[in-house]
Amino acid sequence: MYIDFHSHIDFYKDVELQKVYDDINKNNIKVISCAMDEESYKKNLGFSKVCSNIVPTFGIHPWKVTNVVTNLDLYDNYIKSSKIIGEVGLDFHWVEDKLTYEPQIEVFKHFVKKAKTYDKFLNIHTKGAEELIYDILHEENMLEKSIIHWYSGDLSTLNKFIDAKSYFTLSIDINTSQKSQEIARLVPVDRILAETDGPTALEWVTGVYGMPSEIINVYDGICNTKDISMDELKYNIEHNYNIILK
Ligand SMILES: [Zn+2]
């Protein structure tokens, strides 16, 4: 079995969905489909009813946070129903509207506290805010319950997350990006996960619209970079899956 720890099945065009389900089932892939917001979570819940290999998870993506924070307690039932929390986090790099930064922090802290209350892992976007995310997680003692998604920050912060035993998803640029390969070499094999980040990430990196089976290339890239066998990688990721999704 392959496990994609961070995808967005709702990014696929409707006409592609049957092809996506077939690709998932034929290649025996479990896909954690991260919500961007409430509407996205409902869509992913629907997909999981058609294709049981899709695991929908709830979160509010930092790109979806506006400068007004609504009543966050309204999300409680979604949080409870979701096996893990995500996608959540902070983005001070791609998001140019600085007025959203404080609200982003408020929303992220809310999810971290809830994850702690309900004992769930978090799937976290850290772009341009790696140190602050580390501090918030550290304060709540949630670093060990964190999946750091497609890390691209500096190596000194990376080492702090590694020392704190966070998990890391390696993504679709593992075969081409020297930085991602360097990160892969530093992350211990028992903290490694793999992801595709949905169809549009691959399109962004290589121009090719990604299918879920792209995860196989990510696994291959991790094996080559870390010089480990496919069996060893599959064993570790599946072991981590059982801990994280328990
Ligand atoms: Zn994502």
Side-chain angles (χ1 to χ4, degrees), residues 53-72:
N53 279 327
I54 296 172
V55 181
T57 68
F58 179 68
I60 302 287
H61 193 285
W63 296 352
K64 296 289 179 178
V65 176
T66 61
N67 52 9
V68 189
V69 178
T70 47
N71 182 4
L72 295 169

Side-chain angles (χ1 to χ4, degrees), residues 22 94 125 214-215:
D22 292 345
W94 299 112
H125 180 109
E214 182 61 27
I215 195 70

Side-chain angles (χ1 to χ4, degrees), residues 1-2 189 219-220 223 228-239:
M1 182 173 58
Y2 295 98
V189 72
Y219 270 63
D220 279 336
C223 290
I228 56 174
S229 71
M230 183 59 91
D231 282 348
E232 187 181 356
L233 182 65
K234 280 185 163 178
Y235 171 83
N236 275 284
I237 294 184
E238 212 167 310
H239 180 77

Side-chain angles (χ1 to χ4, degrees), residues 3 9 22 27 31 55 108 155 172 179 221 235 240:
I3 302 164
I9 298 297
D22 292 345
N27 293 290
V31 181
V55 181
F108 178 60
L155 297 184
I172 43 143
K179 170 131 190 211
Y235 171 83
N240 292 337

Side-chain angles (χ1 to χ4, degrees), residues 6-8 11 34 36 61 87 125 149-150 195 197-198:
H6 188 118
S7 184
H8 297 276
F11 287 7
C34 301
M36 302 287 284
H61 193 285
E87 183 169 358
H125 180 109
H149 142 66
W150 203 350
E195 63 152 70
D197 205 12

